[in-house]
Amino acid sequence: MAAAAVASTTGLMGMWNGTKDGREDGFIDWASGQTNVHNPLEVKIEVEDIRTLNPQPNYENNGYGIVKHKSSLTPEQFLAGNDPEGKKYIEDVYFKEVAELVKQITGSDIVVPYVFRIRQNSMKAGEFAANKLSHAALPVAHVDRDAITGEDGVREVLGDVADELIKQGKRYAQVNIWRTIDQPIQKWPLCFINHSGVAGWGYDTHLARVYPTNDPRIAIRGEKKHDSVVKYDPGYKYHYVSRLDLDEALVFSSFDSDVTKVCPHGAFWDDASPDDAPTRRSIEVRCWVFFD
């Protein structure tokens, strides 16, 4: 019997495009909008649908995958997360659901959800580079943290516990659970970049740093010295999940002390998105995880 065909789509994804002044690192002042960073490089990509891959990528082997998971929260409860009461409800109820899910996936006993982000994206493809938002707010391929900001971040949340486990050489990661809030995703789906075929891929070689000042995100996620933007490599493979539904979630390492498991990612413009596709509404919870 012939193998089932792999479904794919095409689209655009933003990546690092250098600086205007020739410096290696970028900067952005969130208060003034001043930056030395060029608009993102618009990379045309072919993206394979994970649903049709055999075997499918999974968290244990690849650092990313899809899992079945139904939350007890309603779309209205998720969308209320930007208000103080709604935020507390998500942290009290949904964080527990996420912690249990991540424990099941990773086998770890040390799982600490610490922050969530709700995003709503209705941009059209033509607004991709012309959009006047800051570089860091555009749908650009990235990892949430690198070797420097990863260690800083886990120490900020877990303190002495992190210090001791890092001294013991334990693997640790920031594991994200990403889901749709109210409808199957048809616009700006999340793309995973598989770099397993890129020799020597690393935080220092394949990511660019953008240093922020007057950064309003500190109030949400804590301090972070720099953002980490993906540099293009022809060896990348691109994966996504078509029409991610309400009883599903994406799981991935947005930072990992095992660099082979970290998953660069970002929203991409899907050429197959219907003209009347609804606004993409999603919620992502980030957890610190230590592995035995």
Side-chain angles (χ1 to χ4, degrees):
M1 181 180 296
V6 173
S8 65
T9 189
T10 58
L12 289 174
M13 194 171 198
M15 295 191 191
W16 178 249
N17 198 22
T19 60
K20 301 170 186 177
D21 55 13
R23 295 181 183 178
E24 182 178 358
D25 297 328
F27 70 82
I28 180 168
D29 184 334
W30 283 72
S32 67
Q34 183 180 4
T35 181
N36 70 335
V37 176
H38 284 302
N39 279 338
L41 178 69
E42 295 185 14
V43 180
K44 294 181 179 181
I45 57 176
E46 180 174 356
V47 194
E48 294 179 329
D49 188 351
I50 287 175
R51 296 190 190 279
T52 65
L53 295 177
N54 186 19
Q56 287 188 359
N58 60 58
Y59 183 80
E60 181 178 3
N61 294 323
N62 309 100
Y64 65 96
I66 179 175
V67 294
K68 282 288 187 181
H69 184 259
K70 182 72 174 176
S71 173
S72 66
L73 275 70
T74 66
E76 292 75 20
Q77 288 170 324
F78 278 128
L79 291 171
N82 291 323
D83 301 323
E85 284 188 18
K87 178 176 183 289
K88 185 176 186 303
Y89 189 79
I90 287 175
E91 291 173 343
D92 288 346
V93 178
Y94 187 52
F95 274 21
K96 290 179 182 177
E97 295 180 1
V98 167
E100 286 305 311
L101 177 62
V102 173
K103 286 179 181 179
Q104 292 172 19
I105 294 167
T106 63
S108 172
D109 292 327
I110 303 176
V111 176
V112 182
Y114 75 98
V115 70
F116 70 90
R117 300 291 297 273
I118 294 171
R119 293 186 174 90
Q120 303 190 49
N121 193 337
S122 59
M123 284 196 303
K124 297 180 176 62
E127 299 167 343
F128 187 79
N131 190 285
K132 300 304 180 184
L133 296 173
S134 74
H135 181 275
L138 287 168
V140 174
H142 63 281
V143 298
D144 289 3
R145 293 178 181 270
D146 65 8
I148 295 171
T149 56
E151 186 169 331
D152 289 347
V154 74
R155 290 182 189 276
E156 182 179 357
V157 173
L158 294 179
D160 292 343
V161 172
D163 287 341
E164 181 57 33
L165 292 171
I166 290 172
K167 287 178 184 176
Q168 294 176 22
K170 299 287 188 181
R171 175 191 166 200
Y172 63 102
Q174 181 174 278
V175 178
N176 295 19
I177 297 294
W178 194 100
R179 72 186 319 127
T180 182
I181 287 176
D182 56 352
Q183 299 184 67
I185 299 292
Q186 299 181 62
K187 178 183 286 187
W188 293 108
L190 195 66
C191 177
F192 297 126
I193 299 177
N194 186 311
H195 57 81
S196 61
V198 179
W201 195 96
Y203 290 119
D204 292 333
T205 55
H206 286 75
L207 299 173
R209 297 175 181 174
V210 180
Y211 289 84
T213 53
N214 299 309
D215 190 347
R217 300 170 297 173
I218 290 174
I220 301 171
R221 69 182 187 187
E223 292 278 357
K224 190 165 79 167
K225 289 185 175 74
H226 55 263
D227 292 305
S228 299
V229 182
V230 173
K231 298 177 180 178
Y232 172 73
D233 191 287
Y236 290 151
K237 292 183 179 179
Y238 305 93
H239 294 151
Y240 85 119
V241 174
S242 60
R243 295 182 64 90
L244 186 75
D245 215 338
L246 276 70
D247 63 349
E248 299 174 314
L250 301 176
V251 56
F252 57 99
S253 275
S254 57
F255 158 79
D256 205 304
S257 60
D258 178 355
V259 73
T260 67
K261 295 295 195 294
V262 69
C263 182
H265 59 280
F268 78 101
W269 174 257
D270 182 358
D271 292 334
S273 292
D275 292 339
D276 59 351
T279 296
R280 190 203 78 179
R281 296 182 176 90
S282 61
I283 181 168
E284 173 185 75
V285 175
R286 301 171 183 172
C287 311
W288 286 114
V289 178
F290 275 90
F291 296 81
D292 292 330

